[in-house]
Amino acid sequence: SEKDIHEHAFVTQHIEFQLNKLCSQVHIGTLSTLAGAGVQHLIRRFSGILKDNIADRDIIEALHPTPAVGGLPKEGAYEKIYEIEEFDRGWYAGAIGWAQKDSSEFAVGIRSCLIRGKKLYWYSGCGIVNESDAQEEWEEAELKARPFIEVL
């Protein structure tokens, strides 16, 4: 939908801006879709040639959190999210991955769960933009959670 493309553009622009600060060359792939369990995802692949002396930490700090989970503008958005949300995100939307001397791989931990004792916490969210409809966003979050709920 136009709303989803608009939402995706916020993330794409953020990543491109940050990568241009870190890389001497940046390549941005074309917009496509990836079919998931019950949902389709808009995707765009990025690659670049890092400038000298850029460490994994620099990349994570520049890219995380993306506007998809942290909002825009970055300054002030997180404070507003924590004011509105009624729960502690914990590891939700955190950078999860591994690092070693010559390589690393990280992903954003969305659609995830946390098990504490006998309690399980499932996290799923939606990108909210001006065009968002609250009921449609709620239905999207439920759709994203459905595969995990069915397993339970």
Side-chain angles (χ1 to χ4, degrees), residues 2-20:
E2 286 299 317
K3 178 259 179 193
D4 292 327
I5 291 170
H6 182 213
E7 178 186 322
H8 184 79
F10 281 120
V11 177
T12 298
Q13 290 164 5
H14 168 78
I15 293 171
E16 179 181 14
F17 179 78
Q18 296 298 354
L19 287 179
N20 278 320

Side-chain angles (χ1 to χ4, degrees), residues 45-117:
R45 299 194 188 279
F46 294 81
S47 61
I49 306 294
L50 290 174
K51 294 177 182 175
D52 291 339
N53 300 317
I54 299 294
D56 294 347
R57 180 185 178 113
D58 300 322
I59 300 166
I60 294 169
E61 287 178 353
L63 296 176
H64 186 73
T66 72
V69 296
L72 279 178
K74 202 171 187 178
E75 298 74 27
Y78 251 21
E79 289 80 7
K80 192 66 174 173
I81 289 169
Y82 284 116
E83 178 185 317
I84 293 170
E85 289 182 346
E86 297 179 358
F87 62 92
D88 178 4
R89 284 187 171 193
W91 286 22
Y92 170 71
I96 299 171
W98 56 267
Q100 56 189 36
K101 185 176 182 233
D102 295 323
S103 63
S104 63
E105 183 172 337
F106 287 88
V108 180
I110 56 175
R111 269 170 271 170
S112 53
C113 72
L114 175 63
I115 300 170
R116 285 193 177 144

